[in-house]
Structure formats: C-alpha cells, structure tokens
Amino acid sequence: MNESRPALPNGPDSTRIDRWLWAVRLTKTRSDAAQACRGGHVRVNGRPAKPATGIKAGDEIRVRLHGTTRLVDVSHVIVKRVGAPIAARCYVDRSPVQPGPEARGPVLKRDRGAGRPTKRDRRQLEKLRAELPTEL
C-alpha cells in the first residue's frame, strides 16, 4: 500500500514567528499569535519572542495557549496557511503528554434539580475530597 503525500510548499529560509504559528495552525489567527508573543507565552530556542522574531528550520518553539504548553521543532518554514495534514508536517511535536480527566480521579456529581448543597452536604463533600488520593 503506497500512500502519496502532498509535497510541502516552497517557502523562504526564515519567517516571522507570528506568521508561522498561524500558518501551521497552532493559533487560529495571526493576531492571536502576535498577542501570545507580546504576552510572553512564546519562546524561540529558550528566549522570549516578539511577533517579528525570525525563525528557521531546526528552531525549537515553546508556546503556551489555552492552558497547555506545546513544544515543537520547526522542520519546514511556510508563510501561507495550508491544509491541516500539510501543516502538521511542518513541525515535530514534542509536547509533554497531558493527563486526561480520568487521571484526576472520579468526578463528584449531584442529582439534577437537587439545588444548592446544604452546609451538611458541603462538609461531606470536603471530607470525601480529603480522602481521595491526590496522585494516581
């Protein structure tokens, strides 16, 4: 079974970090990427990055978006937004694995329509939470 993969588009040797983050679909808009840079959430090779910071193939990029940290290595530089399968081939994702919701333990739920918890209910919940293991 021989799969044909579309060729990566030709691109320059380097480009702006905000443009690349948008082009490889790590951010939804280029202004989101620039705002993340200005907010100090983007690092290139361990250094804080401004939106106009240049990147090239081989650079390591650490991006903190929506509460998760993505660690990627640039494998191909592009400046125009491309399809998701091609964009995913432009970087190597080395992000740490995030624990799923099952790793946090059981979810405590109340019956629908039960209203606000009473003081007694709250104390029982706090007691139960204290008994649950913090790490699995």
Side-chain angles (χ1 to χ4, degrees):
M1 194 158 119
N2 191 3
E3 293 182 25
S4 63
R5 295 169 62 177
L8 291 172
N10 291 333
D13 292 336
S14 66
T15 189
R16 295 170 53 113
I17 183 69
D18 62 339
R19 196 170 190 185
W20 187 82
L21 289 172
W22 166 76
V24 297
R25 299 171 175 262
L26 290 178
T27 59
K28 285 190 176 186
T29 65
R30 188 168 166 190
S31 61
D32 284 347
Q35 189 174 8
C37 291
R38 284 192 295 273
H41 301 291
V42 180
R43 292 182 160 282
V44 175
N45 296 326
R47 294 193 173 123
K50 293 182 179 179
T53 301
I55 62 157
K56 59 189 181 322
D59 285 346
E60 176 188 85
I61 298 175
R62 182 179 298 268
V63 184
R64 179 145 179 88
L65 295 169
H66 310 295
T68 61
T69 300
R70 302 282 306 265
L71 182 62
V72 297
D73 291 331
V74 178
S75 61
H76 187 73
V77 176
I78 57 173
V79 293
K80 301 254 183 180
R81 199 158 167 106
V82 295
I86 296 173
R89 292 175 43 207
C90 293
Y91 62 88
V92 177
D93 195 353
R94 297 189 303 117
S95 302
V97 177
Q98 298 291 328
E102 59 278 346
R104 287 181 242 157
V107 177
L108 304 174
K109 292 187 178 183
R110 293 179 48 81
D111 292 333
R112 186 175 174 97
R116 292 181 59 173
T118 63
K119 190 182 281 189
R120 180 176 179 219
D121 292 338
R122 182 181 52 81
R123 288 184 180 138
Q124 288 175 342
L125 285 171
E126 287 175 355
K127 183 179 177 185
L128 181 62
R129 284 188 183 122
E131 294 172 359
L132 289 175
T134 56
E135 291 184 24
L136 296 176

